[in-house]
C-alpha cells in the first residue's frame, strides 16, 4: 500500500510540476530597500539600519529576484547550484522538466540574450550592491566612520555584502584574475547612471577596501544571529578574495585570515553525525553564515530545496536529478563518512549508498524523510562553513610549500570524517603537488552542492573531466578558462547602458 501511495504522489507532483510556470507568474520579490526607506533617522537609530540590512539578506533568498519568471531564479543559492554544475563536480543526471539541462550542456552561458544565468546573476548581485550603497550613503557615505559600534556593525555588514556582490560578479563574468582586464562597472553610490567597465584591479581594490573596512567596523559588533555577517565572515570572504588572485603574497594573507577565523574559536567543525544529518539548521556550530528560513519567507518549489532535496517538494524527487560526478565519487574512501552522503532513495527513508543516481540524499534532506514532505521550505540555507577555512588554509599552505601546516589542517578535517586515524595516515607521506591535489579533492567532496567547486576550479586553474553519469557531454574535459564556463554580460545591459562594451571572455 505504501508503494502504491508513493507512486500516486509522484504522479500528482509530476502533473503540478509540468504546469507550474503559470502558478508562479504572479509572485514577485517584496522586501526591497528604496531611498525612502532610509534617511536622516538612520544616522541616529541603528535599529532602522539593521532593519534595512535584513532587507538585503531577504533579497538573497527571494524567488525571482533575478527579474525573471524562470524557476531557476531564486537568489544566491541558485548560482551556487549553477556554478557547481559548470565545474562538473556536480552532474546533471536527469532531464525531466528540463530544469538546468541547458546550463549543464553549456548553452546558456554562451549567449548574452539568454536570461539564465547571464541576466539573473547580473541583476541579482547589482541589486544587493545598490541596496548596500543606500545603507552606506544614509550613514555618511563611503568614507565616513560611524560614531557608535552599533552603526559601525551594520555599515560594516553593508560594505561586506557590497564586496560579496562584486566578488561573485568578478568570478562569474571574468575568466581569471587579470588586473588590467576591463570586466564590470563599479557603483558605490545609489542612483548612479550606467557606467563603463572598470578593470579587475579596480574592482578588487574596492572589494578589498570594503572588506578591510568591514573587519575594522565589526571589531566590537555582535550580530543578532548567523543570518547576518560578522567579522569572521568578512575575514572568510576576504580570504577567498586574496586566494583568487593567484599571487604568493596574497596566498599568505588568505591563509592567515583563514587561520584567524579557525583560531577565534567561534565555530566548531561539523562532525560525522552533522555532515550526514540533513544540513537543516542555521544553529549548527560549524555554520558561519546562512539564512534561517521560516514559513514567512514563503518559499516553495522555487528554492534551493526545490531543486536539491528529494524529501522536499522538489524536482529532485521526480527525476530532474543532480548529484556527484561518478568519477569523483569513486575516489572517496569507503571508510570516509562523506561516501554515505550520496546514493539513491531506499525504503523507509534510508539511503542506498553508492546507487545511481548518486544524488546527495544522505547530505541534504528534510528530517521527515518522506518524499514531497517539506513545502513550504523551512530548512535553513548555508552560505559559509568553518571547514572551508580549514581546507583553504591547508590548500594555500601547500601551494606555498608549507607542507607541515597543510598536512596538519587537512588531518584536522579528516579526523572528523574517519573513525580511525590509521585510515588517513597516508597524508603524512604527501608533499608538493600531491598534497595540493589531495586537498583539492577533499574540498570537492566536502562541499559538493554548496557552491564552492567553481571558485576552486578558477582559483587552482583546474581541468575537470565529466564521468559517465552526466546527462550531457559525458567524458569531456573542461578547463577553467573555457569561455563557456563564464557568464556573458547580458544583452539587456548592453542595450540599456550605452557606456558598456560587449565581450568579457
Amino acid at each position: 500500500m505504501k508503494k502504491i501511495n508513493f507512486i500516486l504522489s509522484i504522479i500528482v507532483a509530476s502533473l503540478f510540476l509540468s504546469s507550474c510556470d503559470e502558478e508562479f507568474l504572479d509572485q514577485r520579490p517584496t522586501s526591497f530597500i528604496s531611498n525612502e526607506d532610509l534617511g536622516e533617522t538612520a544616522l541616529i537609530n541603528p535599529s532602522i539600519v539593521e532593519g534595512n540590512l535584513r532587507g538585503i539578506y531577504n533579497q538573497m533568498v527571494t524567488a525571482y529576484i533575478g527579474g525573471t519568471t524562470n524557476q531557476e531564479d531564486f537568489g544566491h543559492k541558485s548560482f551556487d547550484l549553477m556554478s557547481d554544475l559548470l565545474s562538473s563536480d556536480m552532474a546533471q543526471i536527469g532531464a525531466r522538466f528540463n530544469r538546468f539541462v541547458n546550463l549543464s550542456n553549456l548553452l546558456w552561458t554562451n549567449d548574452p540574450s539568454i536570461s539564465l544565468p547571464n541576466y539573473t546573476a547580473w541583476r541579482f548581485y547589482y541589486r544587493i550592491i545598490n541596496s548596500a550603497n543606500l545603507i552606506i550613503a544614509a550613514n555618511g557615505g563611503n568614507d565616513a566612520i560611524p560614531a557608535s559600534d552599533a552603526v559601525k556593525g551594520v555599515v560594516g555588514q553593508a560594505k561586506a555584502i557590497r564586496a560579496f556582490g562584486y566578488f561573485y560578479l568578478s568570478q562569474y563574468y571574468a575568466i581569471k584574475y587579470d588586473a588590467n582586464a576591463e570586466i564590470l562597472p563599479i557603483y558605490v553610490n545609489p542612483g548612479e547612471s550606467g557606467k563603463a567597465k572598470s578593470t579587475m584591479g579596480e574592482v578588487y581594490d574596492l572589494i578589498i577596501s570594503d572588506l578591510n573596512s568591514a573587519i575594522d567596523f565589526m571589531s566590537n559588533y555582535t550580530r543578532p544571529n548567523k543570518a547576518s555577517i560578522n567579522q569572521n565572515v568578512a575575514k572568510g570572504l576576504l580570504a577567498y578574495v586574496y586566494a583568487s588572485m593567484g599571487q604568493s603574497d596574497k596566498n599568505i594573507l588568505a591563509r592567515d585570515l583563514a587561520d584567524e577565523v579557525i583560531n577565534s574559536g567561534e565555530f566548531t567543525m561539523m562532525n560525522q553525525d552533522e555532515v550526514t544529518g540533513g544540513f537543516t539548521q542555521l544553529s549548527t556550530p560549524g555554520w558561519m553564515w546562512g539564512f534561517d528560513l521560516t514559513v514567512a519567507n514563503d518559499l516553495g518549489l522555487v528554492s534551493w530545496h526545490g531543486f536539491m532535496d528529494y524529501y522536499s517538494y522538489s524536482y529532485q524527487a521526480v527525476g530532474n536529478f543532480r548529484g556527484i560526478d561518478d568519477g569523483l565519487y569513486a575516489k572517496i574512501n569507503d571508510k570516509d563518512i562523506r561516501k554515505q552522503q550520496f546514493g539513491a532513495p531506499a525504503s523507509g527513508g534510508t539511503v542506498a549508498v553508492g546507487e545511481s543516481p548518486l544524488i546527495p540524499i544522505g547530505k541534504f534532506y528534510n528530517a521527515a524523510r518522506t518524499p514531497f514532505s517539506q513545502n513550504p521550505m523551512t530548512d535553513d540555507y548555508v552560505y559559509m562553513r568553518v571547514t572551508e577555512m580549514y581546507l583553504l588554509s591547508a590548500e594555500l599552505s601547500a601551494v606555498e610549500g608549507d607542507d607541515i601546516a597543510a598536512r596538519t589542517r587537512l588531518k584536522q578535517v579528516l579526523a572528523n570524517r574517519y573513525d580511525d586515524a590509521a585510515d588517513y595516515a597516508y597524508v603524512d607521506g604527501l608533499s608538493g603537488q600531491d598534497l595540493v591535489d589531495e586537498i583539492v579533492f577533499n574540498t570537492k567532496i566536502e562541499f559538493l552542492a554548496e557552491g564552492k567547486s567553481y571558485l576552486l576550479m578558477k582559483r587552482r586553474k583546474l581541468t575537470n573531466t565529466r564521468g559517465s553519469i552526466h546527462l550531457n557531454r559525458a567524458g569531456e574535459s573542461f578547463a577553467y578558462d573555457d569561455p563557456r564556463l563564464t557568464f556573458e554580460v547580458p544583452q539587456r545591459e548592453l542595450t540599456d547602458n550605452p557606456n558598456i562594451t560587449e565581450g568579457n571572455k
Side-chain angles (χ1 to χ4, degrees):
M1 181 58 115
K2 288 183 179 178
K3 185 175 182 181
I4 293 171
N5 288 337
F6 175 70
I7 293 171
L8 285 173
S9 64
I10 288 278
I11 294 170
V12 171
S14 299
L15 289 172
F16 178 82
L17 290 168
S18 65
S19 62
C20 55
D21 282 339
E22 286 89 12
E23 294 292 326
F24 289 96
L25 283 176
D26 60 345
Q27 294 188 17
R28 292 292 185 273
T30 55
S31 299
F32 296 137
I33 300 170
S34 66
N35 286 298
E36 290 74 25
D37 293 325
L38 296 160
E40 294 295 329
T41 53
L43 293 166
I44 58 174
N45 189 344
S47 65
I48 293 176
V49 189
E50 189 86 55
N52 283 286
L53 189 61
R54 286 196 296 272
I56 299 180
Y57 296 128
N58 285 334
Q59 289 179 38
M60 290 178 63
V61 304
T62 300
Y64 309 113
I65 184 69
T68 74
T69 56
N70 294 300
Q71 292 182 345
E72 294 93 337
D73 178 2
F74 49 87
H76 179 60
K77 294 300 288 183
S78 67
F79 304 113
D80 277 353
L81 194 160
M82 291 186 207
S83 63
D84 266 16
L85 287 171
L86 289 174
S87 77
S88 297
D89 286 349
M90 187 159 71
Q92 180 74 31
I93 302 167
R96 198 168 191 189
F97 304 106
N98 209 38
R99 297 297 177 185
F100 289 106
V101 171
N102 285 337
L103 176 87
S104 66
N105 203 17
L106 306 183
L107 300 177
W108 282 354
T109 53
N110 222 28
D111 184 348
S113 69
I114 296 176
S115 294
L116 292 165
N118 305 304
Y119 173 67
T120 55
W122 189 273
R123 185 181 190 268
F124 167 70
Y125 288 107
Y126 272 117
R127 190 157 201 168
I128 64 171
I129 286 167
N130 185 60
S131 296
N133 285 340
L134 285 163
I135 289 177
I136 294 165
N139 288 276
N142 291 288
D143 298 324
I145 300 176
S148 73
D149 286 338
V151 177
K152 278 184 178 179
V154 290
V155 174
Q157 288 179 74
K159 288 196 170 187
I161 204 70
R162 182 168 70 182
F164 166 85
Y166 278 118
F167 176 64
Y168 274 92
L169 285 169
S170 75
Q171 297 304 288
Y172 291 144
Y173 292 91
I175 287 177
K176 61 182 179 181
Y177 181 79
D178 178 352
N180 297 315
E182 295 181 346
I183 59 165
L184 300 167
I186 291 177
Y187 303 99
V188 293
N189 298 295
E192 293 179 282
S193 57
K195 290 185 174 181
K197 293 177 182 177
S198 293
T199 66
M200 201 164 196
E202 292 167 333
V203 172
Y204 265 61
D205 284 347
L206 173 62
I207 294 170
I208 292 168
S209 173
D210 271 353
L211 287 171
N212 276 317
S213 180
I215 290 166
D216 178 54
F217 282 2
M218 290 190 284
S219 60
N220 294 314
Y221 174 75
T222 301
R223 59 183 171 177
N225 55 64
K226 287 195 283 189
S228 300
I229 292 174
N230 72 352
Q231 187 183 58
N232 274 328
V233 174
K235 287 181 178 180
L237 291 171
L238 185 53
Y240 273 122
V241 173
Y242 281 140
S244 70
M245 298 175 76
Q247 300 170 4
S248 182
D249 60 329
K250 299 301 190 298
N251 286 342
I252 298 300
L253 290 173
R255 191 270 313 275
D256 290 349
L257 283 163
D259 286 343
E260 285 180 24
V261 174
I262 295 166
N263 295 334
S264 73
E266 184 180 359
F267 312 101
T268 304
M269 193 187 310
M270 292 179 77
N271 60 32
Q272 289 192 21
D273 290 338
E274 289 169 333
V275 298
T276 55
F279 279 71
T280 61
Q281 298 297 320
L282 183 60
S283 60
T284 304
W287 291 21
M288 293 175 59
W289 182 33
F291 194 89
D292 183 12
L293 286 178
T294 68
V295 172
N297 295 109
D298 195 28
L299 291 188
L301 186 64
V302 186
S303 66
W304 189 88
H305 300 294
F307 284 94
M308 289 305 299
D309 178 14
Y310 179 85
Y311 296 113
S312 291
Y313 192 79
S314 71
Y315 283 105
Q316 191 83 303
V318 293
N320 187 238
F321 297 128
R322 278 158 295 280
I324 190 170
D325 173 86
D326 51 326
L328 187 59
Y329 176 82
K331 296 176 183 177
I332 305 176
N333 190 303
D334 288 343
K335 296 181 180 180
D336 188 332
I337 192 69
R338 292 171 294 191
K339 199 148 195 172
Q340 297 182 23
Q341 294 177 328
F342 306 101
S347 61
T350 60
V351 178
V353 175
E355 295 295 320
S356 180
L358 288 179
I359 61 176
I361 194 170
K363 181 176 182 179
F364 305 108
Y365 59 87
N366 180 257
R369 286 206 171 186
T370 303
F372 313 118
S373 59
Q374 186 182 207
N375 187 30
M377 309 303 175
T378 56
D379 287 344
D380 299 336
Y381 281 173
V382 59
Y383 298 146
M384 185 183 289
R385 294 198 275 136
V386 74
T387 311
E388 297 172 41
M389 299 297 105
Y390 281 87
L391 286 171
L392 188 61
S393 174
E395 173 193 327
L396 298 174
S397 291
V399 167
E400 294 305 319
D402 190 348
D403 291 347
I404 294 174
R407 288 193 291 262
T408 297
R409 286 299 190 208
L410 177 57
K411 289 193 293 183
Q412 287 173 322
V413 175
L414 297 182
N416 287 280
R417 304 296 174 256
Y418 288 87
D419 289 329
D420 191 339
D423 293 326
Y424 57 88
Y426 69 90
V427 171
D428 289 324
L430 299 178
S431 61
Q433 189 60 45
D434 289 340
L435 181 56
V436 173
D437 291 344
E438 183 65 18
I439 295 164
V440 165
F441 167 71
N442 275 276
T443 302
K444 286 168 172 276
I445 62 173
E446 177 73 26
F447 304 112
L448 197 285
E450 296 182 55
K452 310 304 175 185
S453 290
Y454 186 87
L455 302 181
L456 175 70
M457 187 181 195
K458 288 201 167 183
R459 185 168 70 242
R460 296 270 56 86
K461 296 180 170 55
L462 303 178
T463 296
N464 292 336
T465 300
R466 293 188 175 186
S468 62
I469 203 169
H470 289 256
L471 178 68
N472 308 110
R473 303 178 182 275
E476 294 186 31
S477 297
F478 301 94
Y480 79 98
D481 57 356
D482 187 317
R484 292 171 295 179
L485 304 188
T486 299
F487 302 177
E488 292 275 6
V489 175
Q491 185 60 51
R492 182 164 174 179
E493 178 71 12
L494 297 172
T495 301
D496 293 348
N497 181 358
N499 296 311
I500 200 165
T501 56
E502 187 173 3
N504 59 311
K505 301 180 181 182

